[in-house]
Amino acid sequence: MTRHAPFTPHTRSAGILAIVRAPFLDHPQPIAFAHRGGAAHAPENSWTAFEHAIKLGYAYLETDARATSDGKLVAFHDRRLDRVTDASGPNECAALP
């Protein structure tokens, strides 16, 4: 018996998404995730936000990993820098100082 909805392909994401079986997520009730580390209490995707979420008792953190133009991996939700920084443009074009 599958508890999760079946994967539905989408033309914009063809070849990108796949079904990933994760038995540790197969629970009879919802699982609480700290979205972006709990961005309501600290800057999103920051170490401070992650630590705060853990202190609140979250066992799972949700974040997004993106690469910058100089090959550094960063925890950053948006595809563009505009919303949470004083820079603009796509974040893959940015380089870390």
Side-chain angles (χ1 to χ4, degrees):
M1 177 175 134
T2 301
R3 294 183 185 170
H4 306 289
F7 175 72
T8 304
H10 191 281
T11 56
R12 289 186 305 173
S13 62
I16 297 173
L17 299 177
I19 295 175
V20 176
R21 300 285 178 214
F24 64 91
L25 295 176
D26 193 14
H27 288 270
Q29 59 199 29
I31 302 172
F33 279 77
H35 187 238
R36 297 184 216 162
H41 303 284
E44 65 184 50
N45 289 316
S46 68
W47 194 256
T48 304
F50 298 145
E51 287 179 330
H52 182 72
I54 290 168
K55 286 178 186 172
L56 291 175
Y58 283 92
Y60 299 98
L61 305 174
E62 180 277 338
T63 190
D64 300 277
R66 300 195 182 271
T68 60
S69 63
D70 57 353
K72 304 293 190 237
L73 191 62
V74 294
F76 199 86
H77 175 73
D78 299 346
R79 290 191 173 132
R80 298 184 58 80
L81 300 168
D82 309 60
R83 185 176 64 86
V84 294
T85 73
D86 58 0
S88 64
N91 61 16
E92 65 269 9
C93 292
L96 292 176

